[in-house]
Amino acid sequence: MLGFQPPAIGEEEIAAVAETLRSGWLTTGPKAAELERRFAEFVEAEHVLAVASGTAALHLALLAVGVGPGDEVITSPITWPATANVIVHTGATPVFADVRDSDLNIDPDHVAELISSRTKAIMPVHHAGQVADMDPLLAHGIPVIEDAAHAAESAYRGRKIGSLSAATCFSLYATKNIAAGEGGLISTNDAGVAEAIENLRLMRRGHGSLYDIVVPGYKANLSDVLAAIAVCQLDKVAVHGEIRRRQFAAYDEAVAELDGIEPLVRDDRDTHAYHLYVVRIDAERAGATRDEYQRLLAEENIATSIHFLPVHKLTAYRELLPDQPQLPVAERAGDEVLSLPLSPAHSDDDIADVTAALRRVHTSFR
């Protein structure tokens, strides 16, 4: 089976972990600080804080801008459920805006219709590596918390993602462009937001045996072992990015020949992170549904994934929000999207195997 998105880990990461273990730093220490410093330079932000996961990053960022019980946060339904879950964890209510048909990012026009006196934050998701349309969202003057789990290398109209909004949240999960296995990073230019997150992410003794806390915080720090892996991955961003761009180009060429299978639109005004290659399968034109394509590709030993099923249609959110209006664009996309294997760990021959299998499956349905 050709894996969907295996991490591209080499001897450098193995050596960095061994060095960290020998240093005696198993918890948060100098490697985490180095990662924060290096990533701040990378995204051109004044502050970066390393945390235990991308989910923790979103949660702490919402708390840092004051989201709490009784508030509403507008977000996208085309995302991993964690994006909505953290809103619930603050005591606030997620309000789902529909997405644009072209790139499946949040629709700014629908966001504008949903803003109310209870709206405390807007949380766009940069889907697959394509940046959401940020300027209309920022224009409302409401704190924007970006879910940039897919967008570590993205830029919006020439501005790097990481310093545009109140806080930007990145993931270091095993499948991400910068992968540590687990972990997250929060970037911000707001010193107050950075201080709030610093107080929330870890209870530390500080100096000596006497200690104090200013808020009842969490245990959401990143260990030096994981930070060491992430620092190595940061060194490889350019090389890995070139491999993913080559894989995108190969897929673009292949699917252009396949009626009913189309990739998401990439806006040439922005820098795409090339995190996921997502196609939409039009059952009528392609001859079969997305699920049927996924099944036959699995029989061809090609692993795929779905990014994403609409969050508001999942059981927990159907029960939490029984009066949720229909979101037709997101719901149709949830039936059509399929993500193809993409990783710097894959060779050009691996990607050729995927495109050949996709052509065979497409032919079988014609």
Side-chain angles (χ1 to χ4, degrees):
M1 179 68 73
L2 181 68
F4 168 64
Q5 213 165 28
I9 296 297
E11 292 301 319
E12 300 88 350
E13 287 84 356
I14 294 169
V17 169
E19 179 184 355
T20 302
L21 293 173
R22 294 188 185 102
S23 77
W25 280 102
L26 296 182
T27 185
T28 305
K31 273 297 177 184
E34 179 185 352
L35 174 62
E36 291 173 337
R37 183 175 64 256
R38 292 274 307 280
F39 197 75
E41 294 172 357
F42 180 69
V43 298
E44 301 175 359
E46 293 182 18
H47 309 278
V48 167
L49 298 100
V51 293
S53 67
T55 302
L58 293 168
H59 184 202
L60 298 187
L62 287 172
L63 294 172
V65 300
V67 173
D71 295 330
E72 293 179 348
V73 177
I74 300 174
T75 193
S76 169
I78 297 297
T79 184
W80 186 241
T83 309
N85 293 350
V86 294
I87 299 170
V88 175
H89 296 163
T90 68
T93 300
V95 176
F96 295 108
D98 211 345
V99 295
R100 301 187 303 191
D101 195 55
S102 58
D103 58 14
L104 303 186
N105 277 326
I106 199 166
D107 184 342
D109 293 336
H110 195 203
V111 170
E113 296 173 10
L114 295 171
I115 290 173
S116 74
S117 60
R118 296 175 62 190
T119 304
K120 195 61 175 283
I122 301 169
M123 186 181 287
V125 178
H126 303 314
H127 184 249
Q130 170 60 51
V131 183
D133 195 359
M134 291 295 295
D135 284 339
L137 303 178
L138 294 166
H140 296 294
I142 297 167
V144 173
I145 306 295
E146 298 169 68
D147 183 336
H150 295 178
E153 299 160 64
S154 298
Y156 175 72
R157 311 296 192 265
R159 294 170 285 169
K160 281 195 172 184
I161 292 301
S163 61
L164 302 183
S165 61
T168 308
C169 300
F170 302 89
S171 172
L172 300 175
Y173 183 64
T175 60
K176 298 301 184 283
N177 289 15
I178 301 170
E182 300 288 352
L185 296 163
I186 309 168
S187 64
T188 181
N189 286 342
D190 188 319
V193 169
E195 182 180 7
I197 293 168
E198 175 67 31
N199 290 331
L200 287 166
R201 70 172 168 173
L202 178 63
M203 303 293 98
R204 307 192 80 153
R205 283 185 176 270
H207 304 287
S209 60
L210 298 179
Y211 55 89
D212 192 16
I213 62 171
V214 295
V215 294
Y218 298 86
K219 187 70 169 69
N221 56 304
L222 183 70
S223 75
D224 261 25
V225 175
L226 294 175
I229 300 172
V231 169
C232 287
Q233 290 275 293
L234 195 55
D235 288 335
K236 298 178 179 181
V237 160
V239 172
H240 285 177
E242 180 56 37
I243 295 170
R244 288 194 305 273
R245 283 190 290 275
R246 191 165 68 242
Q247 293 174 359
F248 260 65
Y251 282 143
D252 282 345
E253 182 179 358
V255 301
E257 305 168 1
L258 305 178
D259 188 35
I261 302 179
E262 296 181 356
L264 299 184
V265 171
R266 304 191 292 276
D267 193 324
D268 59 13
R269 294 173 296 175
D270 304 322
T271 300
H272 199 285
Y274 298 98
H275 176 60
L276 293 171
Y277 194 89
V278 180
V279 295
R280 297 181 69 168
I281 297 176
D282 181 326
E284 184 173 346
R285 291 167 51 213
T289 66
R290 181 271 316 283
D291 292 348
E292 291 169 316
Y293 267 84
Q294 186 173 43
R295 178 177 58 80
L296 285 197
L297 284 170
E299 291 178 5
E300 293 267 0
N301 287 326
I302 304 298
T304 59
S305 191
I306 295 173
H307 295 88
F308 293 98
L309 301 176
V311 176
H312 69 287
K313 301 296 285 185
L314 303 179
T315 298
Y317 287 94
R318 291 201 313 271
E319 294 176 353
L320 180 68
L321 304 170
D323 299 323
Q324 168 69 46
Q326 289 186 332
L327 302 173
V329 180
E331 290 162 21
R332 184 173 65 255
D335 291 333
E336 295 179 348
V337 290
L338 185 68
S339 299
L340 302 179
L342 188 84
S343 171
H346 287 321
S347 67
D348 291 347
D349 286 344
D350 290 332
I351 302 304
D353 286 344
V354 178
T355 58
L358 186 60
R359 288 188 182 101
R360 286 194 296 271
V361 171
H362 186 266
T363 299
S364 75
F365 287 128
R366 305 299 291 171

